[in-house]
């Protein structure tokens, strides 16, 4: 049996990275050489959600905006933690030795998430109709 240095295991990865870089560069280059370039005042102006921007872009946001952003991240991470559990759910009895351990484990986790959601709900952060300004 012929033995190769360990670094040769990375050759397919290097080829894949080079292929991706060449493909991306090729698409950008083809767009540059083939595409039509007509610069105009309209194209150079700022564009926000289909509306002309009014006022200064450095305006202050309320704390509510940041709270909702943090809540989105929190509940998004919750979904990320649930996916691996769902993938191995049927194998959990063999891995843990208990038939219902995985179920109760996720139930406790979702209980913590529900308590957090209840707290946020009672604080009024999710109720946009009651704008209290900065909390």
């Amino acid at each position: 049996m012929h033995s190769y240095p360990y670094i040769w295991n990375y050759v397919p990865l290097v080829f894949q990275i080079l292929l991706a870089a060449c493909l991306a560069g090729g698409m950008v280059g083809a767009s540059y050489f083939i595409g039509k370039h007509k610069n105009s005042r309209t194209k150079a102006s700022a564009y926000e959600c289909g509306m002309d921007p009014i006022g200064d872009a450095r305006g202050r946001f309320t704390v509510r905006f940041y709270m909702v952003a943090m809540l989105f991240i929190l509940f998004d991470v919750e979904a990320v933690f649930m996916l691996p559990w769902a993938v191995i759910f049927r194998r959990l009895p063999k891995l843990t030795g208990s038939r219902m351990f995985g179920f109760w484990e996720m139930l406790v986790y979702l209980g913590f998430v529900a308590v957090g959601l209840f707290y946020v709900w009672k604080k009024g952060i999710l109720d946009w109709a009651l704008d209290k300004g900065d909390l």
Side-chain angles (χ1 to χ4, degrees):
M1 177 150 203
H2 198 282
S3 149
Y4 294 104
Y6 185 73
I7 195 73
W8 283 97
N9 292 329
Y10 290 100
V11 170
L13 177 65
V14 171
F15 281 142
Q16 186 176 5
I17 290 172
L18 286 175
L19 180 68
C22 290
L23 185 64
M27 285 192 274
V28 170
S31 172
Y32 179 76
F33 289 117
I34 297 172
K36 297 178 183 177
H37 303 284
K38 293 182 180 178
N39 294 331
S40 66
R41 185 180 173 123
T42 305
K43 281 188 177 181
S45 68
Y47 185 76
E48 286 288 332
C49 302
M51 300 174 64
D52 291 328
I54 298 172
D56 188 16
R58 293 174 197 86
R60 295 177 61 91
F61 292 100
T62 65
V63 173
R64 185 179 301 269
F65 173 79
Y66 298 106
M67 291 296 290
V68 169
M70 286 191 298
L71 289 173
F72 172 76
I73 291 170
L74 173 74
F75 289 108
D76 193 41
V77 168
E78 174 226 341
V80 168
F81 281 139
M82 287 178 65
L83 185 64
W85 174 84
V87 168
I88 66 163
F89 180 71
R90 292 189 189 268
R91 289 185 291 177
L92 279 176
K94 288 183 239 172
L95 295 172
T96 62
S98 173
R99 237 184 60 180
M100 296 297 285
F101 176 76
F103 174 75
W104 293 116
E105 179 184 31
M106 186 51 67
L107 202 61
V108 168
Y109 177 71
L110 289 177
F112 283 123
V113 171
V115 167
L117 180 62
F118 182 73
Y119 173 77
V120 167
W121 183 23
K122 285 299 179 184
K123 283 292 263 184
I125 294 173
L126 299 177
D127 195 3
W128 290 98
L130 301 174
D131 191 9
K132 300 171 189 162
D134 290 341
L135 295 175

